[in-house]
Amino acid sequence: MPYQTTVGSQTYRFADLKTLLAKASPARSGDALAGLAADSYEERMAAKIALADVPLKRFLDEALIPYEADEVTRLIIDRHDAAAFAPISHLTVGDFRDWLLLDSTDSATLSAAARGITPEMAAAVSKLMRNQDLILAAKKCRVVTRFRNTIGLPGHLSVRLQPNHPTDDVRGIAASMLDGLLYGAGDAVVGINPASDSQATLVQLWRMMDELRQRFDTPLQSCVLTHVTSQIQAIEAGAPIDLVFQSIAGTQKANESFGIDLALLREAHEAALSLGRGTLGDNVMYFETGQGSALSAGGHHGVDQQTCEARAYAVAREFRPLLTNTVVGFIGPEYLYDGKQIIRAGLEDHFCAKLLGVPMGCDVCYTNHAEADQDDMDNLLTLLGAAGITFIMGIPGADDIMLNYQSTSFHDALYLRSTLGLKRAPEFDAWLAKMAITEASGQLRPIGRGHDLLRTF
């Protein structure tokens, strides 16, 4: 179905909904690389005007990627909750934006509507929103998850402690882990990106983290970010696995490039649930996403990268994860060229995921060949904090020495919590106080050499 609008004396025509969404997207290098971006600011604005008049119902009738050709499309359509959609089913995309920003559209209202909103609807409305709109609407979306602690409560910010090491040295990883704990980081997850795929090495990492957790009775969860098949094998072998991790994307073809499909994720989910290791809840999955992954895999089907990214959140939502995050600037300047594009993408990803009911964090990051720097990351970090981000990364010095990219540090988390008055997960906060790491106020205490954690070595 063609779409068109007239601006002044110029009439702009868009062949289908897929084209309209791509042309309405804020400028980014990935869409230009794919040949999908608007040719001018005028065409982009015309596309936004036309998109604003599209009924939300249209997204249920016009699949961007054919139902019969893509299992993610089938998941989106088959899982759509018509009852949850009913209160907003009469709206256009432009009306939907206005509804999201109403004071009367509160957290409970958004939670009730989440299962009725498709990723394409979320992506479409985000294209009409300014950054402040994305922040305001996302802040109203509440997604609370539990494993050994409670994540996503209002006024809280969790941190993934990321103690990577270029040779998977267990003592080096443990030292970074203890360093993060002494800075009050780790309530989201202690998650290691391993350099090796050796099963013996991976099991050693799982056991080390679990031994430290048990020794100090720490209410946290751990994860080794290796391929999901390795984690299933480790579960079968009796490894102490808390969360199962996998990178995911928004199309079947892109997921196939990761070596996964929905059936494999279901198998992993069931395997993790069978362990029964959670003490407060059974949210056992951890997913990572990022704009540009479908395009880099040749699996975007002509869909713009932000809409492909939103579709990944339907995959995440299916498995009730404890955590999901966008590794927003990691894929490089071919997809998000500079700090401005990275900031916009981070706000879009967070908004779309939260709107769909996904517990969303962000790896506020960039690669060294992008036109971005730490000031850009400070800006995005602060904006996401204002938007109610679920969790961020905590990396020693903000410099990942294994993956070779720039992210956020333990100190960045302290800054954000102090500036915005954000708390840690309540169970983790209580543990920090019990361990004399924090004062009753939540502020860090000076740590002497005799502290129990430091005596671990």
Side-chain angles (χ1 to χ4, degrees), residues 349-363:
D349 294 352
H350 178 249
F351 161 77
C352 288
K354 285 286 189 66
L355 189 62
L356 294 169
V358 174
M360 194 65 171
C362 182
D363 191 343

Side-chain angles (χ1 to χ4, degrees), residues 170-181:
V170 174
R171 286 178 62 83
I173 289 171
S176 291
M177 182 177 169
L178 292 172
D179 186 29
L181 292 172

Side-chain angles (χ1 to χ4, degrees), residues 175-350:
S176 291
M177 182 177 169
L178 292 172
D179 186 29
L181 292 172
L182 290 171
Y183 277 106
D187 52 341
V189 64
V190 179
I192 301 169
N193 296 93
S196 170
D197 60 2
S198 160
Q199 194 74 349
T201 298
L202 300 178
V203 170
Q204 187 180 29
L205 296 178
W206 274 306
R207 287 178 176 163
M208 179 273 292
M209 290 189 290
D210 201 53
E211 287 170 5
L212 281 175
R213 176 189 67 81
Q214 291 191 60
R215 181 182 304 178
F216 297 105
D217 193 26
T218 313
L220 56 72
Q221 39 279 333
S222 63
C223 184
V224 177
L225 283 70
T226 188
H227 194 269
V228 66
T229 52
S230 295
Q231 294 165 88
I232 293 171
Q233 292 169 11
I235 289 173
E236 292 171 347
I241 293 178
D242 292 340
L243 305 185
V244 169
F245 164 81
Q246 182 57 47
S247 294
I248 57 172
T251 72
Q252 178 177 331
K253 189 173 182 181
N255 282 325
E256 287 171 350
S257 76
F258 292 149
I260 63 168
D261 57 20
L262 296 179
L264 181 60
L265 293 178
R266 289 191 182 98
E267 180 184 350
H269 186 223
E270 291 168 4
L273 287 173
S274 72
L275 299 178
R277 291 174 59 84
T279 55
L280 294 184
D282 64 352
N283 300 116
V284 296
M285 302 298 284
Y286 174 23
F287 296 119
E288 284 189 345
T289 69
Q291 288 194 27
S293 58
L295 174 58
S296 69
H300 65 296
H301 298 272
V303 177
D304 69 271
Q305 68 181 35
Q306 192 248 329
T307 302
C308 282
E309 171 72 3
R311 286 168 54 95
Y313 307 148
V315 177
R317 182 170 65 177
E318 175 72 3
F319 300 99
R320 302 186 302 108
L322 181 77
L323 306 165
T324 300
N325 73 269
T326 170
V327 193
V328 66
F330 184 75
I331 199 166
E334 299 84 359
Y335 305 93
L336 295 170
Y337 177 72
D338 57 15
K340 182 180 177 67
Q341 292 188 10
I342 292 171
I343 288 169
R344 174 68 190 191
L347 295 175
E348 288 171 348
D349 294 352
H350 178 249

Side-chain angles (χ1 to χ4, degrees), residues 127-202:
K127 298 176 192 299
L128 305 184
M129 300 173 84
R130 293 169 56 186
N131 286 1
Q132 66 174 244
D133 299 338
L134 297 173
I135 292 167
L136 177 61
K139 189 174 181 62
K140 295 193 289 184
C141 297
R142 294 295 170 201
V143 186
V144 178
T145 57
R146 294 177 175 87
F147 189 78
R148 289 198 187 95
N149 57 33
T150 305
I151 296 172
L153 294 170
H156 289 67
L157 169 75
S158 293
V159 177
R160 171 188 161 189
L161 204 172
Q162 186 170 311
N164 295 345
H165 193 281
T167 64
D168 291 332
D169 181 82
V170 174
R171 286 178 62 83
I173 289 171
S176 291
M177 182 177 169
L178 292 172
D179 186 29
L181 292 172
L182 290 171
Y183 277 106
D187 52 341
V189 64
V190 179
I192 301 169
N193 296 93
S196 170
D197 60 2
S198 160
Q199 194 74 349
T201 298
L202 300 178

